[in-house]
Structures are given as structure tokens and as C-alpha cells.
Amino acid sequence: MIPKYNPKEIEEKWQKIWEEQKLFKAIEDPNKKKYYLLEMFPYPSGKIHMGHVRNYSIGDVIARYKWMKGFNVLHPMAWDAFGMPAENAAIEHGVHPAKWTYENIEYMKHQLKRMGFSYDWDREFATCDVSYYKWEQLFFIKMYEKGLAYKRKSLVNWCEICKTVLANEQVMGDGTCWRGHPDDPGVTQKELEQWFFKITDYAEELLEWCDRLPGWPERVLSMQRNWIGKSIGAEIHFPLENGDGVIKVFTTRQDTVFGATFMSLAPEHPLALDLSKGTSQEKAVRDFIEKIKRQDWMKRTSPTTEKEGVFTGAYCLNPMTRERMPIFVANFVLMEYGTGAVMGVPTHDQRDFEFAKKYGLPLIVVIQPEGDPLVAETMTQAYEGEGRLVHSGPFNGMDSVSAREAIAKYLEEKGLGGKKVSYRLRDWGISRQRYWGAPIPIIYCDRCGTVPVPEKELPVVLPLDVEITGMGESPLAKVKDFVETRCPSCHGPARRETDTMDTFVESSWYFDRFACPDYQEGPLDRKRVDYWMPVDQYIGGIEHAILHLLYSRFFTRVLKELGWVGVEEPFTNLLTQGMVCKEVYECPRDGYLFPEEIERKGERIHCRKCGGEIEAGRLEKMSKSKKNVVDPEYLIEKYGADTARMFCLFAAPPEKDLDWSDQGVEGSFRFLNRVWRLIWDQAPRLKDLTPLPFGTPLEGEPRFLRQKTHQTIKKVTEDIERFHFNTAISAIMELVNEIYASDLKDQEDERSRRVLREAVETTVLLLSPFVPHISEELWEQLGNHESIIKRPWPEYDPEAILKEEILIVIQINGKLRDRITVPVSFGEEEIKQWALKSERVKRYVEGKEIKKVIFVPKKLINIVC
RNA sequence: GCCUGGGUGGCGGAAUAGGUAGACGCAAGGGACUUAAAAUCCCUCGGUGGUCCCCCACCGUGCCGGUUCAACUCCGGCCUCAGGCACCA
């Protein structure tokens, strides 16, 4: 009698054994080849979601596979534990963020263990541990000393819901906060004193190294390149007419400088008000600047906003032509990019064209395209393409591409500017007006100014005795004992910085700390870091394509310069898994509905609340607010962790979005039951048998099954190597189907039984990285006494996969007409003779002359006639 | 507008180096077992047409064209979806 497959029981059993035997403990061993596998660590929000299950299931396949392949695997897990939700919980439920966080960690750790992931839990830490963030404070001080951390007053992004500043990277394309609040009013601008990390110093390096990361997906690299946004051009100095200095301009089209007929300044440009002072335009300029400053940022920076400006009353000179150029203040010029001033070339820039038409400014054509020449008076839009230079003095006749080079050189020689590179990337603002984060280790003294906390006084411990109301400024500012301190320099009374660091700082180096989580003498034990770093394979969601991945790359470069790590890049290979999606049902009246709140009547779907018809569900990322989540805990209870893991791996390739299907989960569960029954059925007959040695000659059914077994080993191995887990699983399914269909199950001779034993054993071994619990249990059932992970990954016998007979496809003029099975030894001539004997082939060839025969060994023959 | 990545049955997806398109699974339909249900097992399953019982022909991987004996795969042009960047000078 075969016992029922009881996932709950066997999963608990094996998780206990793995833990007791510390099977996944990583120990530095210079004699073994290391493999550092890392998945993006979770925020301890309360419970794990399907995204975690998918991410960590993918990682676990690779980890377990690499173990079996003999690598020294580091597969750690930790908690990205600082952040806003903990504070919100404090505000809403009155629970302390620390308590909330550590309790969530306990619960989620328990959940991860129930999934059976192969982590080395001895290396676990939480970023809110003092023993972690104190080193981050040390980094901050070192960066401050090197000028890489600095404070300045600036316009910053403010999220009214988070009540804090956001970095540029944390503002999404639609102007909302990266946390995705349900009713996000949009990020606004605020002027504040803020700490920044000077990531712009590394713009060029970070960009260049994008080309040296062949193990990263192209879309991520492309996003990072876009974000850094390098433009090559020139800086041009336009002297003010009154002789009082210059206006500096950045342009990528210096070849059009002879056509520049006006100048526009950003409203925030320091010269904007100065220039108008004392002129009749002063009031108009002042009003205009005030109006623009009041406008909300999203609207102001939208390309569709009407372009407008106001004349300052002042002029500058075109440095090439010495022509007067009126200076405007214009709403479309951004202080943040380039120099905050733009030269206006109406003929060759569409925006300038529209502006010039509106304000009656002159047009001069300086680039002539091939074909009909441009005439300024009849132009209806700007010509932005390449061409030959005209009205450009000594540069006349040059093509625009080489003119850019020549003019940049000329500007340089004449002291009027020169070649210049501009980046879109801006410095990383790290100050957060929040409590639950790492304190910035800075002290303000009235006498000594800004003083970093001395190294020996670290850590600056985040006080736990604090009132969190969500009102007013940072809660830390209200903790007297924390704020009031002594100046490390003059020992006089001083105040502590009360902002905390962006939580992305913690996640920018946690992967280094995993090499030496217990190290006390410093942030990183260089010897151990050098052994494990870089991460060989990093896995996580595409949503961090810019944010976390760019910050980590920046931090790694800084830490290398500080001598704490030896690598330039932290992650050699990156796999970005897709989202887990499920259909959402949205009723026009009652909003989002749970699946049980809808009713299907044939093709139509109705809302159970109001009875109205609703649209068919569209697929969207699982989210609580859209009521389309599946709780992993429910799956573990109902089907077990193995089924949950298998479904995530089988339903889609890792980098694609995964469409949730309840029936698909059933299918995975069904398959595991099928394997369970097969092994239990056969195991008693196959005890104490070993597979036949490599190269054993066989005939008939034993030969066939052995061939399938070894083909499967080859296929599954290759598929895991290239992360095609879905096809790896389908190959194992095929093998299982083959075993079911095989009559070897009824044969009693030793050879047949040994072949069957090998097939069954291989099935379990190949399944083990995907569904480890059931594999361990069945492995034991087959008479083994050690964990399956200690068994080396199977190798295929090259002789076993050789075929005696092969199927050859016969094409006539490239169209499939027949298939024949021939001995593998047959050459082209023999196959051709056989092919021509086929009735079907005869039909097409009869009476025609064979012009050509193409023969692809072991595949096909194509007869052209 | 620029930069990426996609588009294959009713669905998720296969096809690794240009060589049998649709593996594997889900759903669906039919059958077996059963008092019945569940579970399990077997069969069919891209479309159109032909005397559609095991047979055959044609069409078929977003569209148009090209290269080739042969194209889901390579080249050119387009359509479309998703993501990133964008009044960026």
C-alpha cells in the first residue's frame, strides 16, 4: 500500500534535518571553487509574498545545483530592516518600529524556512542592528573626509505621504513616489539643507563599466545608461553686452552657434534677476520668476506646457558673430541640467523656433541639408538634422559633424569655452526626515561648524525611547538626550544631525558584509571579502534596475578606493525575474473585487455586490490594493512548499512575468504525486541495485530507457546552466512519462532492474534542486541514508545517448514530404537511395530531374528538382 | 522623439548553431474504472479543404519584402505591446 503524499509531514522532517546538520553552512576554503549566489534581501513587511517565493525559488535551484556540482556555495539571507512601514505601524498601532521589525523578521524567517530554501542562516543579520549600521556611519565619515559626502541647500523631491525627501532615482517617471502609494498626489519640490553622496564623480566610470558587464541583461544596462545620460558637446561663453562677465551655455550643437540669436535663462539662474535690475523690465521679470516658482514641478517640466518667457532688458553677444542677443528668462530652461542657460537657435531647434516666432526673434539658417536649401523666411519648423555649414565664417562648407569638433577646438583656443561633457545623473540625496534609519554621524557646533563624529565615538546609536506621532519634523529632533551633545572638537555644547540615511545606503553594501557578518574589528574583513566577492549570480526584481543596482555599483567603487573591497563591480551576473501577475476584477461601482466577489455566467462576469457586468480580468502585478494576491502560506498549507516552488519555476522562464493560474498549481501538485507513486511502487524491487557502468552495451527497451535517462541528464544540466528551469522540468516530466510507459517495470532480470533503478534514481536527483523535500524523501525511500545534496550531480554517459537508428527528414524543394528511420552508420548516398524508394517521395520526384541534394548529417536530406 | 525588450494554438510556453513549428503542462472533448463522486489511466486536440476511420493537400510563428535548397530563427522596411529616458539644450 502506497502512502499518500503528505507534503506537510515530509517538509517539516527534512527542514529539521537540514538545519540540524547545518548542510548549507558556508566556510571559506581556498582549495574549493567558490560560488556566491545572492537574491535581493527582503524588507520585513510582515509576511512573504509570491514575488519572494519566485525570487528565492529561482535562487535555490541554482544554489542546490551548485552545491551538487561541488562548488563552495555562499547563499545567505538578511533583512533590509530600516524604513517607513515600520514607522507607519508605530503611528497606526502604537507599536515601536524596532519591535514591529524584529517580530516581522521572526515570522518571515519562519516562513522562508518553511519554503525549504538553502540559506546559511548563521550569516543572517538585520540592517537595523547597531552592529551593522555603525559601519555605515564609518563609511559616511570616510566619505565626508574625502568630500564624497557633503551638505547643501537645494531643491529636493518631497513626498507628502512619506513626509520625507526622495532621491531623484526614487521619483518615478510619472512624478510619483517609488513606494507606489494608492493615491499618490505626486512628488513636490522643496528647498532644504540636505546631505548628498557625490555619485556624479563616478558618472563616467559607472557608464563605461556598463560595457564590461556582459552578465547583465541589456535592458538593465540600457536603463542605467539612460539614467546617467551622457551628452557630448561644448561649453560656450557668451559675453554680456555691458562687459560685465559671461553667460555659460552647454550645447550639443555648437555647429549651430552662428545661428544663435537669443539667450534664455532658467528662472532660478542667478543672473536672471540681476540683469533686469534697473531696467524697465525688472518688474515683469520678477513677476514671471515668482509665477514659475509657484507652479507645480510636474506641470512645469512637462513638454506640453506652453513655452513662455520674458525679456530681461539685457543683451549678450554671440561670441562668433558679435551680434547682439536679447536675454530672456524662459520657463523651459532647467537650472538642474547643463548650466541653466540655453543659446537660442531658432532655425535648428524646434523649441527655439517656436519661442522665436512667439517673440519675434530673428532666424538665421546656418546648416543646409542636402536638396532644397532652407530659407529662413519660409521655414515652418526647425531643421534639426545634419548638413553643411553656411553663414558660419571660417566654418562654411564643413559638414556639421566635423564642424562640431572644429568649433569646440576653436572655442578652446580663443578662451570662449571648449569641449564639454554633461550628465543627467545628479548627486544622491541621502537625508531622510525619518526616525527608523541609521543616524547621520554629524554634530553641529556654533563655534566649530559641522563636525563629523570621531571614529572612536561610533556608533551613534538610534535612541529607542522616542515618541512617534507622524506629525512635525523628525521624531529624533524631539529626543533631547540625543540632540544635545558636546562638540568633539571644542567640547562645547552642540547639536546632533537628526536626519537619518536613506535605506538604500544599507542595501548598497550588505552583500559585502555577508562575507564576514560576525567581524567586529571593522566593517569588512578584507581577506574573507576577497574570497567571496564579487557575487557570481545576483537575482532580483526589475524594479531595482536603477535604484539599488546603481547605488551598489557606486558604493563598491567608493569602498574599493577606501581599501575595504578589491572589486570594481559587485555583481558579475544579474538575473532580473519578472513580476507575479494575476487577473484583477474592477467593478465600475464597487472598485476592485476579490475572486469570490465575482460571478461567471458563461463568457460574462458579474459583480456579486451590485450585480452589474464587469470587464474580463486583465493581468496585473499582485498587490493587496488590487485584491489579486495569493498568499504563499495558503499554498504551503494546501499543497506544500515543493508544489509552490515547482509552479513558480515551471509556469514561465524566470525573466518573464508569471501569470498566476490556480489550475497550473494543481498540475504541479499532480505531477509530484505521480512521481511519488512511481518511486514508492518501484523502490522495493530496486533496493540495493546500482546503475550499470558507463559504456555497457544494451539492446531493446533497456537500451531505450537508459538512453532517455542520459539524454535527460544532459538536457536538464544544460537548461539549469542557462536558467531555463521551465524546460528542465518539462524534460524531467518526459522522463517520468517514459518510465511509466516502460515495460521494464514488469521485468525481473537484473539488467532491466538496474536500468530502471538508474532512471528512477536520476529522476529524483534531477528534481532535487527544484523540489528538495519530496526528493529527499524519495531518495531515502530508494535506500539512501545521506542527504541528496551530498550526492554529486549526475553525469551523462556519452555512449548511452548515441542512437543506433536515427530519424531522417526528407524534404523535396525544402518541403517536408517524408521521414525515414535509418541506421546511424548510413552515409549520404545510402540515405538518398532509401529516400528515393519512398512512395511519397516518388510522387514528387517522378519525371523530374534531380538538380541538387542537400544532406545534413543526422538530420535531413533535401532533394531539389 | 530617443533607447531597450517582446509579438508562436483556447491559455502558459517549447524549438540551445538557419534544418520535423507547437515539446511539456493547463483548459476542453471523448472513453475506461466506480453504485456514485473524487483520484487515477487511455485517446483526441493550430486552421481550411478533400468520400474527415488510421489517408492526403493547402495555409500557418504581428505585417510586407529579401537572402537561402531550407527562415519562428538572418537582412531591409513597417505595425503593435511593454519598460526606461525626455522642454536635457
Side-chain angles (χ1 to χ4, degrees), chain A residues 578-734:
Chain A
M579 300 179 298
V580 183
C581 300
K582 194 170 185 287
E583 64 269 274
V584 292
Y585 297 98
E586 193 174 5
C587 172
R589 215 178 319 169
D590 297 306
Y592 291 109
L593 302 173
F594 288 111
E596 54 272 20
E597 290 172 332
I598 61 155
E599 193 170 10
R600 287 173 190 277
K601 291 177 192 158
E603 292 286 285
R604 296 184 163 174
I605 303 170
H606 294 269
C607 169
R608 278 188 200 271
K609 287 184 183 170
C610 68
E613 189 167 346
I614 59 175
E615 267 179 68
R618 52 181 193 278
L619 290 164
E620 283 189 42
K621 184 183 179 175
M622 280 188 182
S623 94
K624 259 190 213 160
S625 59
K626 294 195 174 150
K627 302 190 175 178
N628 65 339
V629 289
V630 173
D631 185 359
E633 193 138 339
Y634 159 81
L635 287 179
I636 296 174
E637 284 296 323
K638 189 165 177 193
Y639 302 101
D642 282 337
T643 296
R645 295 168 59 126
M646 183 169 146
F647 174 73
C648 285
L649 296 162
F650 180 63
E655 54 303 333
K656 272 196 140 184
D657 284 352
L658 182 143
D659 302 336
W660 191 262
S661 149
D662 292 331
Q663 288 102 327
V665 180
E666 292 277 355
S668 296
F669 185 62
R670 219 165 9 214
F671 171 72
L672 293 181
N673 274 288
R674 200 165 138 83
V675 176
W676 177 266
R677 288 193 304 271
L678 175 67
I679 310 286
W680 271 88
D681 180 44
Q682 291 298 309
R685 302 179 50 232
L686 305 174
K687 277 241 162 79
D688 306 320
L689 285 171
T690 52
L692 293 165
F694 275 28
T696 307
L698 289 171
E699 291 302 325
E701 179 60 23
R703 182 194 171 93
F704 177 76
L705 185 62
R706 186 152 188 273
Q707 186 181 328
K708 184 73 188 175
T709 302
H710 285 263
Q711 276 170 347
T712 308
I713 295 172
K714 183 169 187 281
K715 167 91 176 144
V716 172
T717 306
E718 287 167 0
D719 278 354
I720 292 180
E721 290 282 353
R722 58 186 189 133
F723 306 148
H724 285 209
F725 305 125
N726 53 336
T727 52
I729 292 172
S730 70
I732 302 171
M733 286 173 166
E734 282 184 61

Side-chain angles (χ1 to χ4, degrees), chain A residues 394-465:
Chain A
F395 305 100
N396 280 341
M398 265 188 172
D399 69 274
S400 40
V401 176
S402 34
R404 288 206 270 275
E405 204 58 42
I407 290 177
K409 211 173 145 213
Y410 175 87
L411 289 165
E412 180 123 32
E413 284 164 6
K414 300 284 175 184
L416 297 167
K419 201 164 176 172
K420 169 107 191 221
V421 176
S422 201
Y423 300 91
R424 212 191 69 94
L425 181 72
R426 273 166 262 160
D427 281 338
W428 174 15
I430 58 142
S431 293
R432 294 293 177 273
Q433 295 67 44
R434 305 296 310 202
Y435 162 70
W436 192 234
I440 295 173
I442 287 289
I443 291 167
Y444 301 106
C445 169
D446 286 340
R447 268 197 284 177
C448 311
T450 303
V451 186
V453 174
E455 260 180 63
K456 59 179 191 311
E457 285 178 28
L458 290 180
V460 176
V461 178
L462 183 70
L464 292 178
D465 190 11

